[in-house]
Amino acid sequence: MGVAYSVGEVDHLYTFFVQWSPEIYTKGNKKRRHPHYLIREKQQKHYLVGEKNKVAVINKLLSNPVNPAANNWEIITVKDPKRRLSLCSSDDSEADEPDYQREDDDALPVLCDESQLVGDYHLKRLAAHMPARTQCYPWQLVYSTAIHGSSLKTLYRNMAGLDSPVLLVIKDMHQKVFGAFSSDPFKVSKYCYGTGETFLFSFNPDFQAYRWSGENSYFVSGNLESLQIGGGGGGFGLWLDADLYHGSSFSCPTFHNKSLSTQEDFVVQDLEVWTVKN
């Protein structure tokens, strides 16, 4: 069964779907496969996500709606050549995007902002390890050293109020790209937080993901002096200082990882943090 999660002010459309086709959209059902289609409010940046095998029924409902508000919505696909533009701009023409069509099962995460560090090569490999609840949802940039400067305090401040997973991507002075997916946004906390969805990754040079080993729950912890991901041994899986300039990466029991960079101690060149837009 398909599941929809509203983004923005879409309660009126959600109510319409539940009333007229509850077997397709059930808020309480969290078991879903990868969605492939977005139902977009025309001229707005509001979206619902649905399973591709339900799109034909939904399209029929939108074509002959009982609720006039549904006339404001259309079904589009996330297509690789224009996925960032189609999701992040309201200027797309209907000629550019058909009502709906089939798409490959390995749709990439959607970036609503330009990234200096992440390309399709990285997204394709990371997507296979991200939890299903993040698949095909738009991702927005919440922190970048190129935009916001190098400050852990600013990173925390930009994530205040968030309640969604985050993707931390680092490029060091040796041009190595690595980072972490965290089930929870970064914050100051006395105790470790996060779940087993959290993992470390490295493109050094080949992609490697380090999932939770189950040995401990030292997923993420943070204070004003540093951010730490993974631990329990002689060092952290990933550690960053207050200036987001110096970092280190050691093997740790939480992820049984290798050092993410070519050296255990590294200097940050650029850093970005992304979060699911929901």
Side-chain angles (χ1 to χ4, degrees):
M1 297 180 69
V3 177
Y5 291 94
S6 59
V7 181
E9 300 173 355
V10 295
D11 290 343
H12 57 291
L13 181 63
Y14 175 77
T15 301
F16 169 70
F17 281 154
V18 170
Q19 180 178 356
W20 291 100
S21 193
E23 72 280 3
I24 297 177
Y25 280 95
T26 306
K27 190 173 184 179
N29 183 3
K30 307 249 183 217
K31 296 180 180 180
R32 62 179 178 87
R33 297 178 181 178
H34 299 332
H36 296 270
Y37 298 86
L38 293 178
I39 305 166
R40 175 178 64 179
E41 187 172 14
K42 299 176 182 178
Q43 307 305 320
Q44 300 294 330
K45 295 182 179 180
H46 301 154
Y47 305 93
L48 295 175
V49 179
E51 250 179 70
K52 64 182 179 181
N53 62 343
K54 306 300 183 182
V55 169
V57 178
I58 298 168
N59 187 61
K60 184 177 180 180
L61 290 173
L62 293 179
S63 299
N64 186 26
V66 176
N67 186 340
N71 287 320
N72 297 328
W73 297 77
E74 62 184 344
I75 296 174
I76 64 172
T77 58
V78 183
K79 299 195 298 185
D80 281 355
K82 298 191 302 177
R83 63 184 180 277
R84 293 168 180 81
L85 290 176
S86 65
L87 287 170
C88 304
S89 172
S90 60
D91 297 331
D92 308 302
S93 65
E94 293 185 6
D96 289 337
E97 296 289 356
D99 284 339
Y100 65 96
Q101 64 183 38
R102 297 185 67 84
E103 185 187 35
D104 293 337
D105 288 342
D106 57 347
L108 299 182
V110 177
L111 302 185
C112 282
D113 301 283
E114 183 179 356
S115 175
Q116 303 296 321
L117 307 180
V118 181
D120 288 353
Y121 170 80
H122 305 94
L123 292 173
K124 183 176 181 179
R125 285 151 184 81
L126 288 169
H129 296 272
M130 292 181 182
R133 62 191 176 106
T134 67
Q135 297 295 325
C136 288
Y137 280 87
W139 284 75
Q140 64 182 4
L141 185 67
V142 292
Y143 179 83
S144 167
T145 51
I147 299 173
H148 304 102
S150 298
S151 170
L152 183 58
K153 289 183 180 179
T154 303
L155 184 151
Y156 288 142
R157 187 181 307 117
N158 286 11
M159 295 187 194
L162 289 182
D163 187 22
S164 55
V166 294
L167 179 69
L168 167 67
V169 186
I170 298 168
K171 178 186 283 188
D172 68 9
M173 291 300 185
H174 295 285
Q175 306 302 303
K176 302 302 180 183
V177 176
F178 52 91
F181 176 90
S182 173
S183 62
D184 296 71
F186 301 130
K187 60 186 177 182
V188 175
S189 175
K190 288 184 178 180
Y191 308 102
C192 291
Y193 56 89
T195 72
E197 291 178 334
T198 303
F199 65 88
L200 300 175
F201 64 87
S202 175
F203 295 87
N204 183 27
D206 298 323
F207 175 71
Q208 180 67 55
Y210 300 99
R211 307 302 301 255
W212 179 39
S213 68
E215 285 195 22
N216 62 45
S217 298
Y218 301 151
F219 297 114
V220 185
S221 60
N223 51 52
L224 296 179
E225 286 72 42
S226 63
L227 175 67
Q228 308 102 34
I229 303 175
F236 299 106
L238 182 57
W239 177 91
L240 293 167
D241 71 357
D243 296 322
L244 300 180
Y245 183 67
H246 290 102
S248 63
S249 176
F250 294 86
S251 177
C252 71
T254 311
F255 301 107
H256 285 180
N257 60 291
K258 296 180 180 178
S259 177
L260 302 181
S261 186
T262 53
Q263 299 179 349
E264 292 177 335
D265 295 310
F266 60 86
V267 175
V268 176
Q269 176 177 304
D270 291 297
L271 182 150
E272 294 177 351
V273 181
W274 296 79
T275 190
V276 177
K277 187 176 181 181
N278 56 21

